[in-house]
Amino acid sequence: MNCYSQICSTKTKKAMNRITVAKGDGIGPEIMNATLKIMKAAGAQLEIDEIEIGEKVYLAGNTSGISKESWDIIRRNKVFLKAPITTPQGGGYKSLNVSTRKFLGLYSNIRPCKSLHPFVKTKHPDMDVVIIRENEEDLYAGIEHQQTDEVVQCLKLISRPGCEKIIRYAFEYCKQYGRKKVTCFTKDNIMKQTDGLFHEVFNEIAKEYPEIENEHWIVDIGAAKLADTPEEFDVIVMGNLYGDMLSDVAAQITGSVGLGGSANIGETCAMFEAIHGSAPLIAGQNIANPSGLIQGAIMMLNHIGQNEVAEKIQNAWLATIEQGIHTNDIYKEGISKKAVSTEEFTDAVIANLNQKPVQLKQVSYKNGNALKLPKYERKSPKHKELVGVDLFVHWNGTSPDELAGLLQKIELPEAKLTMITNRGIKVWPQGFEETFCTDHWRCRFKNEEDATINKLAIIRLLTNAEDSLIDVIKTENLYHFDGKPSFSLGQGQ
Ligand code: NAD
């Protein structure tokens, strides 16, 4: 680890912020040097601890790509500016980006996607969208199991605190940056429990912000609309998987994914970076575009309250783009004026530090700063009643009626077999012959009167199944929360 302290500017006596910097791999060092040079010239008050992460650390045998000492520095400084890193293929190397977000509780990922028409080619000249993506849960919890010969499972976990934090963040962001509308994307017509909770919390929190418009779209048509008419959106909040995909789509349709920066914000720590990767093929050639990391750094400066510096750099950067001074990746004959290297682009931004764009909209970050959100408070527990159990069974037969016959032999007076589904589709009673069945069966045992059952009933069912050589691979308890059934029905039930 290379750790040193550097004072960027001593021109004024404003408070210093101590941050952690990692130059990363590939083009990382070039674009980080460019970004630091611009911040220094703009008067950023930063003390820097540099750490080493990424390829070298991985290849030295550390499968997490980062040492314990570096974690300590990141946790102490709380603000982390990170260049892209290369994750070696295979070899059990863990994604450092995912670990950093999760270990540090960086629940909110923010990606502004604004077009720079007519200076960067785009089909959407009026696009100005901010994607706010939940960063910690959903299918990205990474809890996966193989359960039968034919079926593997990934758990989609959505929590109320996770929803409340990200959705409140979206409304507070909207308020702070003078935006008008928050849109929520879910697929709650299908995933009524998980995406249903996200949508429900969105509706609850939206009521606390009557001055901000709110709307909800089913993610598939919402995504199509975003790709077609992005100018109709303002701030969009969504879960981890949809956000991962659509934030790349949104960045790309502004004109270039290479121009975007992103912030990952938690309750105590924050990490700022470019959207793109380490671009190893163009590393060391002084041709990379440093704009994505510059955008990450501008978000960082706003986060730590150095709003004037952030504003100065953003306006200088916009002026540079507007003057047609472009690196190769965005250079277009007829639009661009001059093709420049990484260093030339950096110097042009510095030369423009007291300039403002003429045609592109100038920015004003008077209201920057880290958002201060209330801590999540756990709600009082709901009334929870156990009303049944789903036994998941590995069975190689093909006839649901035959399986039902076997299962009816193990049922209890208080927990009868009521339904069998295969990959969610009801196949018993009264299934369709045409439905394709795998070796993975969900077998629902419930009280016929919907009355509460005792957990010992589940143990008896499992014992009976074991005695009858029925291979139960997992169970899910069926609950009513506050009297409401809180489990999905079979499709077709
Ligand atoms: P990439 O973003 O590095 O490159 C994609 C394409 O865009 C390449 O043609 C590249 O030359 C170009 N490009 C990217 N950034 C550019 C810039 N600033 N200026 C000019 N051109 C630029 O994606 P990839 O090739 O899929 O990944 C390369 C490596 O980066 C992989 O090891 C991957 O794991 C890693 N990666 C890291 C991060 C991160 O650290 N946040 C993110 C994505 C990918």
Side-chain angles (χ1 to χ4, degrees):
M1 184 187 53
N2 171 19
C3 172
Y4 65 88
S5 177
Q6 172 196 341
I7 295 173
C8 268
S9 170
T10 50
K11 275 186 216 147
T12 61
K13 289 211 171 59
K14 283 191 193 152
M16 288 280 172
N17 289 97
R18 190 162 186 145
I19 66 164
T20 309
V21 160
K23 292 190 176 171
D25 301 313
I27 59 170
E30 296 160 71
I31 60 172
M32 182 60 85
N33 288 339
T35 304
L36 293 176
K37 190 173 174 189
I38 292 170
M39 286 199 290
K40 181 174 179 179
Q45 302 295 302
L46 300 172
E47 280 184 88
I48 292 171
D49 287 323
E50 189 182 334
I51 59 166
E52 195 163 280
I53 57 169
E55 202 170 19
K56 270 199 220 134
V57 184
Y58 281 119
L59 297 177
N62 186 332
T63 53
S64 64
I66 181 168
S67 69
K68 177 177 176 314
E69 292 77 14
S70 296
W71 272 130
D72 293 343
I73 294 170
I74 292 173
R75 292 172 73 194
R76 185 189 67 214
N77 292 343
K78 304 200 172 12
V79 176
F80 182 22
L81 182 63
K82 179 184 148 297
I85 57 163
T86 302
T87 312
Q89 302 282 306
Y93 301 111
K94 306 264 181 335
S95 160
L96 182 54
N97 293 320
V98 176
S99 329
T100 310
R101 288 171 193 158
K102 289 197 174 179
F103 277 134
L104 299 179
L106 309 181
Y107 65 88
S108 181
N109 181 281
I110 300 115
R111 270 192 197 185
C113 303
K114 187 171 176 2
S115 76
L116 296 160
H117 175 80
F119 306 101
V120 175
K121 200 164 177 265
T122 170
K123 294 185 187 120
H124 305 289
D126 300 320
M127 175 173 183
D128 182 7
V129 176
V130 179
I131 307 276
I132 298 193
R133 158 192 172 194
E134 200 290 318
N135 232 356
E136 293 181 293
E137 46 190 47
D138 196 348
L139 287 161
Y140 287 38
I143 306 174
E144 296 191 300
H145 298 95
Q146 175 153 8
Q147 298 185 324
T148 66
D149 291 323
E150 293 175 348
V151 175
V152 285
Q153 170 192 269
C154 176
L155 278 188
K156 172 161 167 144
L157 293 181
I158 301 289
S159 72
R160 178 165 268 275
C163 296
E164 282 195 17
K165 286 196 298 185
I166 192 68
I167 292 165
R168 193 173 295 289
Y169 193 96
F171 278 96
E172 285 292 324
Y173 182 96
C174 198
K175 199 164 130 187
Q176 174 151 322
Y177 286 96
R179 288 176 171 266
K180 304 277 179 283
K181 181 169 77 171
V182 181
T183 304
C184 172
F185 282 0
T186 72
K187 188 78 183 169
D188 68 338
N189 54 335
I190 304 294
M191 284 162 278
K192 295 180 202 292
Q193 297 286 323
T194 48
D195 283 26
L197 177 63
F198 199 93
H199 191 175
E200 183 185 316
V201 173
F202 179 77
N203 289 342
E204 281 170 23
I205 291 182
K207 288 200 188 96
E208 296 175 32
Y209 298 86
E211 73 285 10
I212 298 173
E213 203 186 319
N214 72 80
E215 64 177 7
H216 171 268
W217 287 89
I218 297 292
V219 61
D220 39 13
I221 188 64
K225 207 170 146 59
L226 174 66
D228 186 48
T229 47
E231 61 281 1
E232 290 182 17
F233 294 98
D234 193 347
V235 173
I236 311 180
V237 64
M238 50 193 139
N240 206 343
L241 178 68
Y242 312 141
D244 191 5
M245 297 169 179
L246 295 183
S247 58
D248 267 18
V249 171
Q252 181 64 30
I253 63 174
T254 58
S256 168
V257 81
L259 295 177
S262 86
N264 297 275
I265 310 281
E267 283 176 355
T268 49
C269 296
M271 174 174 81
F272 301 86
E273 59 187 341
I275 294 176
H276 60 74
S278 58
L281 291 180
I282 60 163
Q285 296 174 37
N286 192 22
I287 56 172
N289 188 344
S291 297
L293 193 58
I294 294 171
Q295 290 306 312
I298 289 169
M299 293 166 96
M300 178 192 76
L301 290 166
N302 271 326
H303 180 81
I304 59 181
Q306 297 196 28
N307 314 108
E308 275 176 36
V309 187
E311 186 178 311
K312 203 171 174 181
I313 298 176
Q314 187 68 292
N315 283 326
W317 179 78
L318 288 167
T320 310
I321 296 287
E322 197 177 80
Q323 288 158 7
I325 301 174
H326 294 168
T327 43
N328 266 337
D329 56 311
I330 57 166
Y331 186 89
K332 284 263 163 2
E333 208 63 56
I335 297 179
S336 308
K337 295 270 174 345
K338 194 175 171 197
V340 290
S341 67
T342 311
E343 285 172 6
E344 286 167 331
F345 183 81
T346 307
D347 292 339
V349 174
I350 292 171
N352 276 330
L353 276 172
N354 290 316
Q355 304 293 317
K356 301 230 157 75
V358 181
Q359 203 173 325
L360 293 170
K361 198 164 170 248
Q362 295 174 21
V363 298
S364 164
Y365 292 142
K366 299 285 171 290
N367 300 323
N369 260 335
L371 296 178
K372 297 245 173 344
L373 268 66
K375 283 245 183 243
Y376 175 77
E377 278 181 39
R378 185 161 282 168
K379 314 283 176 289
S380 48
K382 292 183 176 170
H383 179 62
K384 179 175 160 191
E385 288 167 284
L386 183 68
V387 297
V389 65
D390 281 345
L391 301 190
F392 288 78
V393 169
H394 181 178
W395 186 64
N396 288 328
T398 50
S399 156
D401 287 345
E402 188 187 335
L403 178 60
L406 297 173
L407 292 166
Q408 278 167 330
K409 290 189 189 136
I410 69 162
E411 67 185 10
L412 307 172
E414 70 274 35
K416 300 265 194 211
L417 180 71
T418 60
M419 175 188 79
I420 302 175
T421 68
N422 196 292
R423 290 181 301 164
I425 298 157
K426 189 191 75 169
V427 291
W428 182 93
Q430 291 152 3
F432 284 12
E433 261 175 36
E434 295 84 348
T435 305
F436 180 81
C437 291
T438 69
D439 58 1
H440 184 273
W441 308 80
R442 173 177 59 161
C443 311
R444 177 158 293 173
F445 292 84
K446 268 186 84 238
N447 188 283
E448 285 178 322
E449 312 294 307
D450 251 0
T452 311
I453 65 161
N454 188 294
K455 273 207 182 121
L456 288 173
I458 300 176
I459 293 169
R460 281 205 299 279
L461 276 173
L462 287 174
T463 310
N464 293 350
E466 194 61 15
D467 290 345
S468 306
L469 303 178
I470 292 169
D471 183 6
V472 178
I473 42 101
K474 79 161 196 169
T475 62
E476 285 287 350
N477 296 353
L478 305 176
Y479 289 111
H480 284 179
F481 278 89
D482 285 349
K484 210 172 99 193
S486 302
F487 43 85
S488 58
L489 300 177
Q491 282 160 355
Q493 193 183 13

